[in-house]
Amino acid sequence: MSKHRPTIADIARRAGVSKVAVSYALNDRPGVSPATRASIKAIAQEIGWRPNSAARALTRARADTVGLALSRPARMLGVEPFFMELISGIETELSTRGCALLLQVVADPAQELEMYRRWWGEGRVDGVFLADVRSPDPRIGGIAELGMPAVVIGHPSAAGPLTPVWSDDSAALRDTLTYLSALGHRSVARVAGLPELAHTRLRDSAQREISAELGLDEPVVVHTDYSGEEGAHATRRLISSASRPTAVIYDNDIMAVAGLSVAQEMGLDVPADLSLVAWDDSQLSRVVRPPLTALSRDIPAYGTHAARTLLAMVAGGSAPGFEDAAARLVPRGSTAPPR
């Protein structure tokens, strides 16, 4: 698969016409028929050509910039530690290479793919990161067709032909559920993230399988948007039910902190009445009382490894995927044997 930026020559080859005809069509000059003009413009749109991409291809210039578009509400980036720490790790590696990060918040994955096509066609980036991979995810095929260097921050099973950087969530869940089982818990629920995300589905599947292996109850999983509000609402539903769990795992620490507040508001003792575990171990997990048992990982290092992999692809055309260290369980005051 070609890795160069789309050029007029690429369009001419696809359309079966001369480069002069392509230039006339794209610049709306006379000399080509309306049908040919429409066909040429459609091909240019499909392969992601933009006016200055040809000049960049001729000079073989690099943008010295890589891109990350996120289809999440901008407000979430300000309150969720994961992405801020991930971006800090990416920036740390890029700064040592004289490379910049182009960050854009978009409305949805379709707009994200269009953003990547435009960046690549205009020569604004040398490659991109792809986060929050869905299952299935049309962005994977769209980026692969462009031949643009790209690193998927997610599991290989969802990366398709693109290069992944990931950590083993199944191993982290196994450690957590084994620990909670050893404490005597049998009913362990989870307040999860968005159900369409590939890593959420992997965690859901792993929790069901591991719970069955350990002889735990069938887990109740409540999907949310990762916000504190949704985490609080999910916690209130779980602990108000007739079959209240004795432990809850949260897919991020924002929701875990919100869950702790709800449990205390409803008169439950944490951890005597309810044990809580947070995924991702930011300062939030340590400043609340009791401090939260958490799945801790070096998220800036995760970002650094993703950036290093992408820059290797930009420099050499390809790079192997990278499996980062799995999150490790750090027990604190929010977990104990159930009453």
Side-chain angles (χ1 to χ4, degrees):
M1 180 180 292
S2 172
K3 297 293 182 184
H4 69 271
R5 301 182 192 281
T7 66
I8 284 179
D10 296 327
I11 301 170
R13 189 163 46 251
R14 291 276 295 272
V17 299
S18 69
K19 290 190 286 184
V20 172
V22 173
S23 178
Y24 285 173
L26 294 176
N27 289 287
D28 291 318
R29 294 171 58 187
V32 294
S33 70
T36 300
R37 188 187 311 278
S39 175
I40 287 170
K41 288 188 174 183
I43 291 169
Q45 173 70 18
E46 179 185 343
I47 68 174
W49 182 86
R50 292 295 186 276
N52 72 338
S53 62
R56 280 197 173 274
L58 288 171
T59 61
R60 297 190 179 182
R62 285 186 183 167
D64 289 327
T65 301
V66 293
L68 172 61
L70 294 171
S71 51
R72 283 199 179 195
R75 63 182 178 81
M76 287 300 297
L77 299 183
V79 298
E80 188 173 33
F82 174 82
F83 273 112
M84 290 298 96
E85 292 185 27
L86 181 76
I87 290 168
S88 76
I90 291 173
E91 290 277 25
T92 297
E93 182 66 18
L94 295 181
S95 65
T96 65
R97 310 286 193 93
C99 193
L101 177 67
L102 180 57
L103 177 65
Q104 181 73 49
V105 175
V106 296
D108 53 52
Q111 187 178 341
E112 182 179 336
L113 178 56
E114 180 55 33
M115 183 71 64
Y116 287 145
R117 284 185 176 132
R118 180 157 63 84
W119 286 349
W120 180 243
E122 292 176 353
R124 298 179 66 187
V125 298
D126 299 316
V128 297
F129 302 101
L130 195 63
D132 280 347
V133 181
R134 281 134 175 99
S135 182
D137 196 323
R139 298 173 302 168
I140 300 290
I143 289 175
E145 285 175 10
L146 292 175
M148 173 171 52
V151 164
V152 171
I153 301 173
H155 196 269
S157 63
L162 303 183
T163 300
V165 173
W166 78 101
S167 63
D168 188 350
D169 284 354
S170 295
L173 266 173
R174 181 172 295 279
D175 287 349
T176 303
L177 291 169
T178 300
Y179 166 72
L180 292 172
S181 176
L183 288 177
H185 294 277
R186 288 294 171 267
S187 177
V188 181
R190 190 167 122 259
V191 177
L194 296 165
E196 65 269 23
L197 297 184
H199 75 263
T200 302
R201 295 189 180 191
L202 285 170
R203 291 179 185 184
D204 291 353
S205 176
Q207 185 176 5
R208 287 193 299 269
E209 292 174 7
I210 297 166
S211 294
E213 289 175 20
L214 295 172
L216 305 180
D217 296 345
E218 177 75 16
V220 175
V221 178
V222 183
H223 293 107
T224 72
D225 65 358
Y226 290 107
S227 69
E229 293 85 356
E230 285 284 309
H233 180 64
T235 304
R236 198 169 284 111
R237 284 172 52 196
L238 285 170
I239 62 181
S240 298
S241 67
S243 54
R244 189 182 77 207
T246 60
V248 182
I249 301 169
Y250 294 84
D251 271 14
N252 71 4
D253 47 8
I254 292 290
M255 295 193 296
V257 169
L260 172 62
S261 178
V262 167
Q264 293 172 337
E265 165 194 306
M266 295 181 70
L268 295 183
D269 183 279
V270 176
D273 296 321
L274 184 69
S275 286
L276 305 180
V277 179
W279 210 302
D280 297 332
D281 186 20
S282 73
Q283 288 293 330
L284 287 174
S285 300
R286 300 165 218 168
V287 298
V288 293
R289 290 293 177 267
L292 293 170
T293 294
L295 283 160
S296 180
R297 55 178 172 165
D298 191 341
I299 298 171
Y302 195 30
T304 295
H305 295 146
R308 196 169 293 159
T309 301
L310 182 55
L311 292 179
M313 295 179 70
V314 170
S318 64
F322 183 88
E323 183 175 4
D324 216 321
R328 62 185 181 86
L329 185 69
V330 180
R332 296 196 183 99
S334 67
T335 48
R339 286 191 195 274

